[in-house]
Amino acid sequence: MYLITHKEKLSQTITKYVVKAPFIAPKRKAGNFVILRVEEHGERIPITIVDSDAKEGTITLIVQAIGKTTKLLATKNVGDYILDVVGPLGNPTPIENHGAVVCIGGGVGTAEMLPIAKALKKAGNSIYTIIGARSKELIILENEMKEISDKTFITTDDGSYGRKGVVTDQLKDLLDAPLGISAVYAIGPLPMMKFVSLLTKQYDVQTLVSLNAIMVDGTGMCGGCRVTIGGEMKFACVDGPEFDGHQVDFDEMLMRSRSYLAMEKISDELFTHQCQLEK
Ligand SMILES: Cc1cc2nc3c(=O)[nH]c(=O)nc-3n(C[C@H](O)[C@H](O)[C@H](O)COP(=O)(O)OP(=O)(O)OC[C@H]3O[C@@H](n4cnc5c(N)ncnc54)[C@H](O)[C@@H]3O)c2cc1C
Ligand code: FES
């Protein structure tokens, strides 16, 4: 049982949790994730470890409530427990001094990008950050990203904050400028990572993306997270979750990620539905 010691709303649907996990906290590296189960009979979901405090024995998770399990988690408060938290899982992000790098976070992907950007800064890189979202209310961790970035750019699809447009509009300007960008790290929705990778390929700039494949066990045994990288089958949980964006078969991944859409919809509706007779 894993105690929630802090809960904070970052946006309408995104919440930050600090959870007591004394065996995970000291081992965690940037890029690692946990697989958690909120309650008995619940599904397992992968969530990135955004931060940890080895002394306090806590880990920080930032979760967007989009379906049944993440909405169930959102009903939990300080003092409540999460049933299982397994980790740290996945390979730590390869961190090196590239010189100048662009870190791109789309939606809740910004939370997953924060520990990586911190580690890249510590390794001596100049950090150009792009935070993208559909609208202003969905921008999270702007101040935290600004603190570790040399320059931060915001884009919103509807123009309600920052530059109107998508992250690739800003990325193109940075790649065209004489900044010596030699690597791009991108985490966000699959279409965003796909188009970032297509753009950086034109500039021959190495690109790392974090694949949010459907995961179940997180240990390479169930096959749920299989992805095709450079024509070879890989498991995102044990071979990733980060891969060379130029090698990822994004179209196959997009198709696979929609496999359970109908069931997810039913499960979400059953969870959020409140019977009028029970009111
Ligand atoms: C390595 C990794 C790290 C992640 N880190 C974070 C994070 O830090 N914060 C965050 O909010 N989200 C993160 N996610 C995504 C998160 O796991 C899904 O949002 C969550 O599983 C949705 O569950 P649900 O029941 O609420 O929604 P569902 O209705 O089940 O699904 C909603 C959407 O989430 C996707 N999804 C469903 N189940 C899974 C699963 N087991 N694994 C991956 N995606 C799934 C579906 O394709 C669907 O588009 C991460 C995913 C991966 C693979
Ligand atoms: S989650 Fe089961 S093999 Fe990766």
Side-chain angles (χ1 to χ4, degrees), residues 214-225 235-238:
I214 301 266
M215 291 188 183
V216 182
D217 65 340
T219 62
M221 290 178 31
C222 71
C225 67
F235 292 159
C237 65
V238 287

Side-chain angles (χ1 to χ4, degrees), residues 54-67:
K55 234 172 89 202
E56 293 289 320
T58 57
I59 56 171
T60 301
L61 310 175
I62 294 181
V63 184
Q64 182 169 29
I66 49 165

